[in-house]
Amino acid sequence: MLKKVLLGSLGAALVLTAGILLGHFGIQRGSTAPDWVMDVTQDVDEALIQKFIVEVDNIAIQENLRELTKVPHMATSPGDEQTVQYMLKRWQDPDTGLDQAWREEYKVYLSFPDPNTPNKVTVVCVCVCVCVCVCVCCQGRLVYANQGKPSDYFLLNQTLNLTGTVAITRYGGEGRAGKAINAAPYGVIGVLVYTDPWDINDGKMSDNNETYPFSWYMPPSGVERGSFNTHYGDMLTPYLAAKDDTYRIPEKNITGIPPIPTQPIGFEDAYALICELGGEPAPSEWQGAFNCTYNFGGPGFKPTSNFNNSDVKLDIYNREELKNSANVMGVIRGSVEPDRYVIYGNHRDSWVHGAIDPSSGTSVMLEVTRVLGRMVKQGKWRPRRSIIFGSWGAEEFGLIGSTEYTEEYYSKLSERSVAYINVDIAVKTPGSDSTSVYDNWIRYFNRTSPAYGVIPNVGFLTGAGSDYAAFIHFLGITSMDISYTYDRTKTRARIYPAYHTAYDTFDYASKFIDPGFTSHQTVARTAGNVLIRLADSLLLPFNCSDYAETLEGYLSKAMELYTDGLAAHMISIGGSQSLAYTHTHTHTHTQRGMGGQRKGHVIWASSKAGQATFPGLADAYTRAASTGLDSDWKEAHRQLSILIQAIQGAAHTLGDAI
Amino acid sequence: MLKKVLLGSLGAALVLTAGILLGHFGIQRGSTAPDWVMDVTQDVDEALIQKFIVEVDNIAIQENLRELTKVPHMATSPGDEQTVQYMLKRWQDPDTGLDQAWREEYKVYLSFPDPNTPNKVTVVCVCVCVCVCVCVCCQGRLVYANQGKPSDYFLLNQTLNLTGTVAITRYGGEGRAGKAINAAPYGVIGVLVYTDPWDINDGKMSDNNETYPFSWYMPPSGVERGSFNTHYGDMLTPYLAAKDDTYRIPEKNITGIPPIPTQPIGFEDAYALICELGGEPAPSEWQGAFNCTYNFGGPGFKPTSNFNNSDVKLDIYNREELKNSANVMGVIRGSVEPDRYVIYGNHRDSWVHGAIDPSSGTSVMLEVTRVLGRMVKQGKWRPRRSIIFGSWGAEEFGLIGSTEYTEEYYSKLSERSVAYINVDIAVKTPGSDSTSVYDNWIRYFNRTSPAYGVIPNVGFLTGAGSDYAAFIHFLGITSMDISYTYDRTKTRARIYPAYHTAYDTFDYASKFIDPGFTSHQTVARTAGNVLIRLADSLLLPFNCSDYAETLEGYLSKAMELYTDGLAAHMISIGGSQSLAYTHTHTHTHTQRGMGGQRKGHVIWASSKAGQATFPGLADAYTRAASTGLDSDWKEAHRQLSILIQAIQGAAHTLGDAI
């Protein structure tokens, strides 16, 4: 029924547009129609796409990457400014640049280590410690908490008292912030996080012959950095663009920061700590690649350890600063619908040299703009709709540049944007050139469609892992994230091993990730192909029935999981209303302005519940079912009402003209 | 500059639309164009408007009013249901009804007096009072607080200690809720409110020959009721439509209700209390029409009064209930743009018989729908755009029916509505038929336009006095409120004297407000004229330069009033940015989703500051300037940032295609 309504609506639009534009002019007038009629009725040109694909050059991408990764370019650093200048130079090039390019500046709130007083993790003898630091300084017995999931701390708390302890956790299984957020209620005072060679290196540990520079694996000293807050955008200016004069909330009102500090360390340091831990052995699922038994901790170290009776002390000297961060923007103006935008973007800032994250994506973007820019400059092509390119700043600190951009241009972007394409980490793994993108795709990631049989699958863009988040969650714009990814049969690595470490360099990328840059070339061709089709198609190539299938799946999953639990608390999910409405329509929906809370998309927002169903409801239900608190059941009810109203609102819009 | 940009934009739209639709077909093809081309390019038909005007019948309106006011029809009462049935019958009439009509039901939270235990105001001897009531029961010495404005309590507090007192106030000068909200910080425990004959009756007080049924003036026993909360919409379901299964907030979380009770009384009771008050004489501006000196109160009564040493006691037995409230909806489907809506509405519920408020408006609406409905049924006319008629429920309790409607259909209405027309109290005063609407209008309410010289003025639709509030403040839809109003040289009455009393009856309306119902007829003709033009015009007849003029006025007023005060707190209003942006555009803007607070329109929301400038900024500035608190200056800064971002957002949209 849902599908029927959707396809019906789409059909009606087709009749109207095509009827007026093509039928009337095309049929009645044939080729004698005036030029402007030919122009406005021009559909996507397949020959042009072929020409684009031929012109995308792997060596050009390689040279982009070399240039972009010359110096470390963490957000707002001098290296970052160097990349701003480089982007501007490229996008303003008279032969291969865009119609226009400029920088947009925000003043954002970032946290940096103090270069003169680095953060420290020390093992200290309890009796001599006098804590006089002018920093966050916490000290306690060490425990091993696996991945820092709620269930990990729950189990650990069964065997020992966590109050006053420092927990060491490995990456994976839980978001960065979650490891500390989950720990705090048990009295844990600080968290260490490291990357276990089991999770990233397929067990390899030796820096003599097994890890980079001998292979793509992370060396023992590699430290995975990252942002440890749960919200995105500048923390002092929620919903407002962080311009110079913008109102900023008091620091004490910042939300989304874990209540206790977290310090990432490399696995060589983690090895020295974990293998000395006392207490009971942890369960087998908690064991990693170190050649010792991972114990829970006494808490603290073994009686036989040199560290016996010692605490672990974290000295965190990070300072918060207001810094200028720039987005670099470029446009190719549309010919027929200049006020409809296809947006293509990636962040520019890295943690260190950032060859793969983000410069692989930026190198691809620059090659796409070079080829398209030249076509435009030569007068060979101009897209139907405008294309806006964005090189975002300060993504690594919480998707800040892209979020501020969506806040500043909220009205315009939400009314006019057709789609957002994100290419951040373009290539995650060494590839093979032997098959086409289509053949590879359908082989490794496919699904069975009722209409078309086995087809390449497009995953759900959930989470908030890159700059698409503000576009899809906040503006409600159709978004896509493209990358060349893994054959999971070949490695267990969570992600490419140098991710967010100082080893993510041009040398690493060109030797181990994509020698010859042909995978980059493939991504540039694919992303450009999608971009041209979105910009040039007479009718937008969106398949609404996919959305309908998803909503139907979400609905039946929600009915299956939640009906009984909600009914037990007098909340009706299966009421004829919600059910009937969900079945008679679809459409996307940011629920705007629901008071009090950071709003999110009712279909595509991030969820921790791990179920393919409505995220707000799923998270609230999971929480209520676990705490049993009346206030949590009320919140589940509230989330259900928000969801129903949003979907019904979409239904009203799609259902009928009135 | 602002105007230039605006007119420029409008001009471009004209060229595009008219160029394609009229130029291409009209000029090249002349009258040989196919029927559908003639249909879609049909502009408003002046002959049809003349026909409409001729057919509007004053006696039909009179009979509508007689029918609507047969029984009291307070929201959700049996009388209310009777009017629902009547509206449905009329709108479903096969000869004069609409294309479709139906009811929409909400379950809303209302407060009613207990019919078995009426609320009471008693003068009690202090020594014998034992308060054992199961109600809000407050008792204290009486004081006179003029209109209950902040300045009134401030002054009163200079002369006596207000702690534990009951304040009697007169209507006017301050909103209903404000009289109690302003009182509470001084320790006042309850408020009485009455209508002084000075303010409503031009001083007339005698029920022997001066007041109704001898004239239009309010009799001594007349009590003006009203809603005493500051927010609108159902109190338990902010931002969500109050359907059966909707999540409701806990009652303790309700906002917008004054912290102390207020009881309205008639002026005969107020006379008995005020003229007995002791203490110093109040200032001359505080004196009303009673033939005694209005004293502040001792607190309490004069030593010579029979009430000496007595308190005044309020027993409030109101109960809150969840009740079903209906909107009645009707539509005439548009022919060319069925998915663009012109909405026309009025509330249906009254306090008692409600002849003028709201039934004068509903009688007019029914006459408009009768004439238009018959044209449609006879196949003589169908509007270009769809017309939606709404007969709203529970307006008197806080604009509830219309607000729930805008919440339920938020997405659709905000995307598709062209305008909202409200006709509540259609006729406020006896009129004269001697001149045309235009001549009367330009004589009594005009302005000088740079382009057209002296023209009829259209006032600003500020405040939240009727159902337009949710449409303009929440949805951001262009709205209009139409009524036949006063010649201020002839009466000092705040509003027609029977307003919100039991004397607002058909007899009162037909004898004293509009004998012959010709003023009602004039309003029906005017409202219908506007409605047809909005529904039928090829280009919407909105004059954007009016908006530009208003924004320019607001800006210069804000600069004049606030620049120095804000600068003293390091907040920049005159920064080149805000100024330049405000000067380069316009457009309306609801700032959506600004977290935490009930959102409002940055240009047209209600303001207490009484300045023709941006309401959010004006209120926050006024408050900060009065308290001097750092947190209040921060709020002023926040409001300024919201304003700048909203206006800049509009500017970005209007400024250029990209």
Side-chain angles (χ1 to χ4, degrees), chain B residues 188-206:
Chain B
V188 174
I189 57 169
V191 172
L192 300 178
V193 60
Y194 78 103
T195 314
D196 198 283
W198 176 264
D199 300 310
I200 202 84
N201 276 3
D202 293 315
K204 305 286 194 301
M205 284 181 61
S206 164

Side-chain angles (χ1 to χ4, degrees), chain A residues 252-461:
Chain A
K252 67 175 165 46
N253 294 352
I254 289 174
T255 53
I257 299 285
I260 57 174
T262 306
Q263 176 66 43
I265 61 176
F267 71 75
E268 80 187 333
D269 292 330
Y271 178 82
L273 295 170
I274 287 178
C275 288
E276 297 297 310
L277 278 175
E280 297 293 309
S284 60
E285 314 86 73
W286 290 35
Q287 302 297 318
F290 298 152
N291 57 355
C292 66
T293 299
Y294 292 48
N295 296 326
F296 286 133
F301 300 101
K302 296 176 197 170
T304 56
S305 165
N306 286 339
F307 298 159
N308 183 28
N309 278 329
S310 291
D311 279 354
V312 166
K313 177 157 166 273
L314 272 64
D315 292 327
I316 311 287
Y317 294 91
N318 271 40
R319 288 187 196 159
E320 284 68 45
E321 296 179 48
L322 281 179
K323 302 275 278 183
N324 286 326
S325 172
N327 294 332
V328 180
M329 307 302 302
V331 295
I332 298 177
R333 201 179 171 85
S335 54
V336 180
E337 302 176 48
D339 62 346
R340 304 289 281 167
Y341 313 144
V342 181
I343 308 175
Y344 181 120
N346 181 33
H347 68 102
R348 194 186 56 252
D349 66 304
S350 62
W351 280 118
V352 192
H353 288 82
I356 295 300
D357 181 3
S359 305
S360 62
T362 308
S363 299
V364 162
M365 178 162 68
L366 280 172
E367 179 59 3
V368 169
T369 58
R370 181 189 69 84
V371 175
L372 295 181
R374 195 166 60 181
M375 289 179 180
V376 169
K377 299 282 181 191
Q378 292 176 344
K380 291 185 177 157
W381 174 72
R382 182 163 289 284
R384 177 181 189 84
R385 305 180 183 89
S386 292
I387 303 177
I388 299 179
F389 294 94
S391 170
W392 315 121
E395 188 260 9
E396 295 293 8
F397 286 77
L399 320 182
I400 296 179
S402 56
T403 303
E404 299 309 302
Y405 175 75
T406 60
E407 288 172 347
E408 180 166 12
Y409 298 96
Y410 178 82
S411 310
K412 187 163 83 165
L413 293 177
S414 55
E415 283 169 15
R416 298 184 178 173
S417 301
V418 159
Y420 175 72
I421 301 170
N422 197 67
V423 184
D424 181 350
I425 298 174
V427 181
K428 288 179 177 163
T429 188
S432 105
D433 300 332
S434 57
T435 49
S436 75
V437 168
Y438 183 87
D439 290 339
N440 226 12
W441 195 336
I442 203 166
R443 176 170 167 205
Y444 289 105
F445 195 52
N446 58 56
R447 70 180 182 102
T448 303
S449 149
Y452 306 102
V454 178
I455 53 172
N457 195 8
V458 177
F460 291 164
L461 193 58

Side-chain angles (χ1 to χ4, degrees), chain B residues 156-479:
Chain B
L156 193 58
N157 191 51
Q158 309 274 306
T159 64
L160 51 85
N161 179 2
L162 287 170
T163 309
T165 60
V166 171
I168 183 164
T169 60
R170 57 187 173 120
Y171 272 116
E174 172 67 64
R176 288 190 200 98
K179 294 171 197 292
I181 291 169
N182 301 334
Y186 292 100
V188 174
I189 57 169
V191 172
L192 300 178
V193 60
Y194 78 103
T195 314
D196 198 283
W198 176 264
D199 300 310
I200 202 84
N201 276 3
D202 293 315
K204 305 286 194 301
M205 284 181 61
S206 164
D207 54 356
N208 281 331
N209 53 12
E210 291 182 325
T211 62
Y212 181 74
F214 305 100
S215 77
W216 83 321
Y217 291 121
M218 178 198 270
S221 61
V223 179
E224 180 183 330
R225 296 147 186 79
S227 164
F228 286 87
N229 52 344
T230 57
H231 297 350
Y232 54 82
D234 179 55
M235 290 189 278
L236 295 185
T237 59
Y239 302 111
L240 293 171
K243 313 300 279 187
D244 277 9
D245 291 338
T246 302
Y247 167 73
R248 289 172 163 78
I249 63 171
E251 296 191 13
K252 67 175 165 47
N253 293 353
I254 290 174
T255 53
I257 300 285
I260 57 175
T262 306
Q263 177 65 44
I265 61 176
F267 71 74
E268 79 186 335
D269 292 330
Y271 178 81
L273 295 170
I274 286 178
C275 289
E276 297 297 311
L277 277 175
E280 298 293 307
S284 59
E285 315 85 72
W286 289 35
Q287 303 297 320
F290 298 152
N291 57 357
C292 66
T293 300
Y294 291 47
N295 296 326
F296 285 134
F301 300 102
K302 295 176 195 168
T304 57
S305 165
N306 286 339
F307 298 159
N308 182 29
N309 278 330
S310 291
D311 280 355
V312 165
K313 177 157 166 273
L314 273 64
D315 292 328
I316 310 288
Y317 295 91
N318 271 40
R319 288 187 197 161
E320 284 68 45
E321 296 178 48
L322 280 180
K323 302 275 278 183
N324 287 325
S325 172
N327 294 333
V328 181
M329 307 302 302
V331 295
I332 298 178
R333 201 180 171 84
S335 55
V336 180
E337 302 175 47
D339 62 346
R340 304 290 280 166
Y341 314 143
V342 181
I343 308 176
Y344 180 120
N346 181 31
H347 68 103
R348 194 187 55 255
D349 66 305
S350 63
W351 280 118
V352 193
H353 288 83
I356 296 299
D357 182 4
S359 306
S360 62
T362 308
S363 299
V364 162
M365 177 161 69
L366 279 172
E367 180 59 3
V368 169
T369 59
R370 182 188 70 83
V371 177
L372 295 182
R374 195 165 60 180
M375 289 178 180
V376 170
K377 298 284 181 190
Q378 293 176 343
K380 292 185 178 160
W381 174 72
R382 183 163 289 285
R384 177 182 188 85
R385 304 179 182 89
S386 292
I387 303 177
I388 299 178
F389 293 95
S391 171
W392 316 120
E395 187 260 10
E396 296 293 9
F397 287 76
L399 320 183
I400 296 179
S402 56
T403 304
E404 299 309 302
Y405 175 74
T406 59
E407 288 172 346
E408 181 167 9
Y409 298 96
Y410 178 82
S411 310
K412 185 163 83 166
L413 293 177
S414 55
E415 282 169 14
R416 298 184 178 174
S417 301
V418 157
Y420 175 72
I421 301 171
N422 196 67
V423 184
D424 181 349
I425 298 174
V427 181
K428 289 179 177 163
T429 189
S432 104
D433 300 332
S434 58
T435 49
S436 73
V437 168
Y438 183 87
D439 290 340
N440 226 12
W441 194 337
I442 203 166
R443 177 170 165 206
Y444 289 104
F445 196 53
N446 58 56
R447 70 180 182 100
T448 302
S449 148
Y452 305 102
V454 178
I455 52 172
N457 195 7
V458 177
F460 290 164
L461 193 58
T462 56
S466 188
D467 292 300
Y468 55 77
F471 291 92
I472 184 164
H473 299 164
F474 182 55
L475 297 182
I477 297 175
T478 302
S479 299

